[in-house]
Amino acid sequence: MHFRIQNQYFHYSHRRTEQPPRMDFHLHDSYELYFFLSGDVHYLIEKKVYPLRYGDLLIMNNRELHKATFRSNATYENIVVHFDPAVSEALTGLSDFPLLDCYINRPQGESNLIRLSHQQLEEAQAIFHKIEQLSPESQSESGLLLTAYMIELLVLINRCFHSDKSSQDTVPTDVHEKLGPVLDYIDSHLDEDLSLETLERHFYMNRYYLSRLFRRSTGSTVHEYIVLKRIARAKKLLQEGSNVTDACQQSGFNDYSNFIRMFKRFVGVPPGQYRKQR
């Protein structure tokens, strides 16, 4: 089962699958809203691990690395909305309500989980139900209504985020205690050598043990994590006006051609084109 509908700003997807998909660390230019329905899932966002239960809602901005890890083959069902951060500017003048406040005004990788009350859950489900009654064929009418329903949802989410803030930080757990310092070091030294040999020397931790621990804890490799962190930094630098060469060097890609290749692989366009689009 897979329902999808989208317009200029919002892409809504409701998926149910008997076999959990393979998922790697990833990030988007868009903001993401993730509503969990079923499965045996722990969700990693930056250095936090969120064990999910029915009705949990995750919010992720375009600089937060994330992935789902599946602990069994239980049926997996979720609703995911990706949307353009520019939607806030497009709606300027309609209201001064801070529509994206919960995505912007919090520390990176913190307070990503909103655990809804029973009433809030019913309100969110009512909005999802209205969205799924829209016809993808009636593009102009459905597109307008999708924006209206998504505004309603974002208002609800911000209200829930601020009312639930006191309990959010107690929900997630940190990654394995031996990995926390390694991830902090990687974040602070992206423009330096981060080979397994270097990490081994710095942390007095056997590289093979580190690789196994990382794979067991996150389902991905150290190398993949570092590459995506470097891509995220390069995107930020390009958005801020850096040229491609500087973005390459300052994000830790010593090989220019490799930077171009990896950036296009994960972002979809070469860095020069990405810079012009910003």
Side-chain angles (χ1 to χ4, degrees):
M1 172 260 185
H2 195 179
F3 173 86
R4 290 184 295 182
I5 190 167
Q6 66 184 78
N7 64 13
Q8 178 183 359
Y9 294 109
F10 299 98
H11 183 283
Y12 176 98
S13 174
H14 182 174
R15 177 176 60 178
R16 184 176 187 274
T17 176
E18 300 300 323
Q19 187 67 36
R22 182 184 183 278
M23 188 175 295
D24 297 321
F25 277 112
H26 58 282
L27 48 85
H28 318 277
D29 282 334
S30 57
Y31 287 178
E32 180 174 340
L33 181 158
Y34 174 104
F35 184 72
F36 180 72
L37 290 166
S38 71
D40 187 6
V41 179
H42 282 190
Y43 214 97
L44 283 75
I45 305 176
E46 293 292 327
K47 294 185 282 289
K48 298 292 184 182
V49 181
Y50 296 88
L52 298 183
R53 69 188 192 194
Y54 173 78
D56 279 349
L57 195 150
L58 296 170
I59 52 174
M60 291 154 278
N61 64 37
N62 56 358
R63 293 180 182 170
E64 292 174 314
L65 207 60
H66 55 277
K67 69 165 294 189
T69 59
F70 301 96
R71 298 163 59 85
S72 75
N73 288 326
T75 298
Y76 179 52
E77 184 175 3
N78 68 346
I79 293 171
V80 176
V81 181
H82 291 118
F83 62 94
D84 190 335
V87 68
S88 183
E89 297 174 14
L91 297 171
T92 299
L94 296 179
S95 169
D96 58 0
F97 184 85
L99 202 61
L100 305 185
D101 188 59
C102 61
Y103 285 90
I104 297 169
N105 293 322
R106 57 177 175 77
Q108 179 161 314
E110 300 286 342
S111 301
N112 295 88
L113 174 66
I114 301 175
R115 189 149 274 173
L116 305 175
S117 68
H118 180 71
Q119 179 180 343
Q120 291 166 344
L121 181 57
E122 286 189 341
E123 290 182 54
Q125 289 175 316
I127 297 171
F128 293 140
H129 178 73
K130 288 191 293 186
I131 291 173
E132 296 190 19
Q133 301 310 300
L134 297 175
S135 169
E137 284 73 37
S138 268
Q139 293 187 2
S140 57
E141 177 184 327
S142 294
L144 183 61
L145 287 171
L146 176 60
T147 296
Y149 297 150
M150 283 305 308
I151 292 171
E152 184 180 359
L153 183 61
L154 287 170
V155 171
L156 170 64
I157 289 169
N158 272 284
R159 191 166 72 240
C160 297
F161 175 80
H162 290 293
S163 67
D164 189 45
K165 211 164 188 178
S166 61
S167 65
Q168 288 178 38
D169 292 334
T170 64
V171 176
T173 58
D174 292 320
V175 294
H176 192 284
E177 59 181 6
K178 291 185 177 180
L179 283 185
V182 176
L183 298 184
D184 288 337
Y185 182 84
I186 289 171
D187 284 352
S188 302
H189 297 81
L190 284 173
D191 59 344
E192 301 175 18
D193 176 28
L194 291 173
S195 64
L196 284 172
E197 292 81 358
T198 297
L199 296 175
E200 180 181 56
R201 288 194 301 270
H202 188 83
F203 291 99
Y204 304 100
M205 188 186 304
N206 180 275
R207 72 191 75 171
Y208 303 109
Y209 171 75
L210 173 59
S211 295
R212 289 195 300 272
L213 178 62
F214 199 95
R215 170 72 78 174
R216 188 167 66 246
S217 299
T218 70
S220 295
T221 67
V222 179
H223 174 71
E224 179 189 60
Y225 179 83
I226 292 170
V227 167
L228 279 165
K229 274 289 183 178
R230 285 174 166 162
I231 292 291
R233 174 175 286 186
K235 288 171 66 176
K236 181 175 184 292
L237 291 166
L238 292 167
Q239 289 168 354
E240 293 172 349
S242 294
N243 62 43
V244 175
T245 301
D246 288 344
C248 170
Q249 294 174 346
Q250 293 176 35
S251 57
F253 287 95
N254 296 320
D255 186 307
Y256 185 81
S257 61
N258 182 53
F259 170 60
I260 302 297
R261 183 171 63 253
M262 297 302 287
F263 192 96
K264 185 175 181 180
R265 173 185 166 190
F266 287 105
V267 181
V269 297
Q273 182 178 339
Y274 180 85
R275 184 176 184 270
K276 292 176 182 176
Q277 294 172 349
R278 297 301 99 195

